[in-house]
Amino acid sequence: MNIKWAALAETAGVSLLVTVAVVVVFALGNLALSRREAAVAAGTGRGVPALVAAGVCFAACTAVVLYGISLIASK
Amino acid sequence: MEHITFLVAVVIITALAFDFTNGFHDTANAMATSIATGALKPKVAVAIAAVLNFAGAFLSVKVATTISGGLVNEKAGLQPSIIFAALVGAILWNLLTWLKGLPSSSSHALYGGLIGATVVGVGLHGVNFSTVVSKILIPAVASPVIAGLASWGATKLAYLITRGAPKEGTEKGFRRGQVFSSSLISLAHGTNDAQKTMGIITLTLISAGALHKGDGPPTWVIVSAGLAIALGTYMGGWRIIRSMGSGLADIKPPQGFSSEAAAATVILTSSHMGYGLSTTQVCSGGIMGAGLGGPSGKLRWGMVRRMAYTWGLTLPAAAVVSGLAALVADRGNWGVAVVGLALVVGAGSMWLVSRRQPVHADNVNDAAPAAAEVPAVVAPAAAPTTLAA
């Protein structure tokens, strides 16, 4: 019986890393968005840096999703 | 198409029926937590899942040329009667677990059915048991654990990062994220599972001489397999959605997003690496991890235990039913008719039993029938107080 433990471990490791990375980036985007809302509500500015940061975070998440779809489609 | 015999026609119809139960059973995987957190309204969620399952069926042009991925020796000749018996066992097990509201793997049911029917129809040498261990058993144990770990860590971090921000705002963000993460799971599901049905129908047509060896599936096969899984998905296995969405843990938007992200990642990475794993087990594992990683850290262990038993039972149970079906179906057309009749009677009676306590889009988020009545009693009592004040 030939079980490829290395491939299994690799799959597990990649899955763990990607999941945590995507959720962390998404949560940061979420946090930035709420900072902006707070800034606008408090009248301390329009929260442009926070908005840009949120945009970058969500764009990164979108890129990962598109890569995922391309993985399904190319099989 | 002129070669289609009675048996081949029956196999095609049964394959589409299995595809339908597959969609029906697995709506919960993608949509359970999105429905539970209110990211999507129940009816909207199943509609999105149905459309994406249908689209997923067309996404990949390279259809699996083996049904079983080497589990059974297909070269020895996978007879249509064996395929038929395998499908019967898989459908009946799918319906039974749905009736109990338990998410079980449709793929394992199909594999179990194929193994059982092959052992009876061909003999023990027809099954590659080492492939069963390396391709099914090990991923089956490892994948929910990995999804659970990933989801647990992601949930912890999601709460940690957003702890300073107002909850309403960040929860709204995570709910929006869930729309995308659950959509991705639906798409991947349609691609993987609709192809299994296409593979079954195509191989049956080849064995009947209606298609040449090596031919891809005809368009009508792709469309009908996509439609069957989409229709099943749209019907929504509400019982299973309830178990997964609110039976395992109380899921809040950050947890829902983390569990769906973990499930989608594990499904995509492992199908890329060539592991055929169960979407159902991965998604349930993700939800369990998110439940443990959440603020309360609570999990309903009774439900976890019932799910784990079901996962263990799926393959052998489907194998036994399919083995019996193969014994009878091998006798000729009358045997096929008897098994077909047994399938219709079995499926019909389970549907009738389900009508006693129906679960549908409107009551899917109520934890139990008793709990649903409490707000209904409180609400009218609260109204006069407000008026008086």
Side-chain angles (χ1 to χ4, degrees), chain A residues 1-35 37-38 58 61 64-75, chain B residues 59-62 129-130 133-134 138-139 142 146 149-151 153-155 157-158 161-162 164-166 169-174 176-177 184 187-188 191-192 257-258 261-262 265-266 268-273 275:
Chain A
M1 197 179 304
N2 179 23
I3 298 164
K4 294 175 182 146
W5 293 107
L8 198 69
E10 191 188 335
T11 313
V14 170
S15 303
L16 278 170
L17 282 180
V18 172
T19 304
V20 170
V22 167
V23 174
V24 163
V25 171
F26 189 88
L28 286 173
N30 220 338
L31 180 69
L33 213 56
S34 77
R35 289 265 160 87
E37 275 168 17
F58 293 135
C61 290
V64 174
V65 170
L66 290 179
Y67 180 65
I69 293 176
S70 79
L71 277 187
I72 316 178
S74 65
K75 265 213 303 168
Chain B
L59 198 58
S60 179
V61 283
K62 192 184 159 201
F129 284 101
S130 71
V133 172
S134 66
I138 292 179
I146 294 164
L149 268 177
S151 163
T155 305
L157 287 166
I161 290 168
T162 56
T170 54
E171 287 208 335
K172 198 170 72 188
F174 282 117
R176 282 198 191 130
L184 189 59
L187 195 67
T191 312
N192 279 327
F257 179 72
S258 302
T265 313
V266 171
L268 289 180
T269 0
S270 41
S271 72
H272 187 63
M273 295 293 284
Y275 293 103

Side-chain angles (χ1 to χ4, degrees), chain B residues 3-377:
Chain B
H3 288 86
I4 290 188
T5 59
F6 171 67
L7 180 57
V8 171
V10 169
V11 171
I12 293 173
I13 294 168
T14 319
L16 291 174
F18 169 74
D19 203 21
F20 177 86
T21 63
N22 188 345
F24 181 70
H25 217 275
D26 291 1
T27 321
N29 295 338
M31 291 302 171
T33 58
S34 291
I35 290 172
T37 62
L40 288 165
K41 290 212 163 64
K43 292 261 178 165
V44 177
V46 293
I48 292 177
V51 169
L52 289 172
N53 264 285
F54 186 66
F58 291 88
L59 198 58
S60 179
V61 283
K62 192 184 159 201
V63 173
T65 45
T66 66
I67 309 173
S68 64
L71 296 184
V72 297
N73 193 349
E74 290 177 21
K75 280 197 194 109
L78 207 50
Q79 296 299 319
S81 62
I82 292 180
I83 300 179
F84 173 64
L87 288 167
V88 168
I91 293 174
L92 286 176
W93 181 254
N94 264 356
L95 287 176
L96 184 68
T97 49
W98 158 74
L99 190 63
K100 297 273 169 204
L102 288 166
S104 66
S105 165
S106 305
S107 321
H108 284 191
L110 182 61
Y111 294 151
L114 277 171
I115 293 170
T118 305
V119 167
V120 170
V122 180
L124 277 173
H125 63 275
V127 181
N128 300 327
F129 284 101
S130 71
T131 317
V132 174
V133 172
S134 66
K135 278 208 167 173
I136 300 188
L137 293 187
I138 292 179
V141 175
S143 62
V145 174
I146 294 164
L149 268 177
S151 163
W152 175 82
T155 305
K156 287 264 177 213
L157 287 166
Y159 273 106
L160 187 71
I161 290 168
T162 56
R163 72 189 182 286
K167 209 168 138 202
E168 302 78 47
T170 54
E171 287 208 335
K172 198 170 72 188
F174 282 117
R175 271 196 205 102
R176 282 198 191 130
Q178 276 196 283
V179 176
F180 294 99
S181 54
S182 53
S183 297
L184 189 59
I185 298 177
S186 293
L187 195 67
H189 182 260
T191 312
N192 279 327
D193 284 18
Q195 292 215 12
K196 284 189 192 118
T197 306
M198 289 178 215
I200 290 171
I201 298 178
T202 309
L203 286 181
T204 311
L205 289 172
I206 290 173
S207 78
L211 283 175
H212 294 291
K213 247 197 164 89
D215 276 356
T219 313
W220 68 266
V221 173
I222 303 179
V223 173
S224 55
L227 276 178
I229 203 166
L231 196 66
T233 306
Y234 185 70
M235 296 292 288
W238 298 110
R239 290 167 181 272
I240 305 175
I241 294 177
R242 177 190 274 178
S243 306
M244 282 176 82
S246 45
L248 280 170
D250 295 316
I251 296 289
K252 297 273 169 289
Q255 295 164 291
F257 179 72
S258 302
S259 74
E260 285 172 356
T265 313
V266 171
I267 292 165
L268 289 180
T269 0
S270 41
S271 72
H272 187 63
M273 295 293 284
Y275 293 103
L277 44 72
S278 156
T279 317
T280 307
Q281 299 181 353
V282 170
C283 292
S284 317
I287 296 172
M288 292 174 195
L292 282 177
S296 73
K298 271 193 201 135
L299 208 53
R300 297 194 182 93
W301 289 102
M303 181 61 93
V304 175
R305 220 171 290 130
R306 285 174 65 200
M307 282 186 189
Y309 291 152
T310 315
W311 294 349
L313 272 177
T314 296
L315 204 126
V320 168
V321 178
S322 295
L324 288 176
L327 209 58
V328 180
D330 245 1
R331 304 277 166 253
N333 276 352
W334 69 265
V336 172
V338 167
V339 174
L341 194 68
L343 174 64
V344 171
V345 169
S349 51
M350 282 192 256
W351 184 78
L352 280 178
V353 172
S354 81
R355 301 313 299 162
R356 287 194 205 147
Q357 271 186 323
V359 180
H360 43 77
D362 301 319
N363 66 0
V364 65
N365 278 341
D366 308 335
E373 282 159 24
V374 178
V377 179

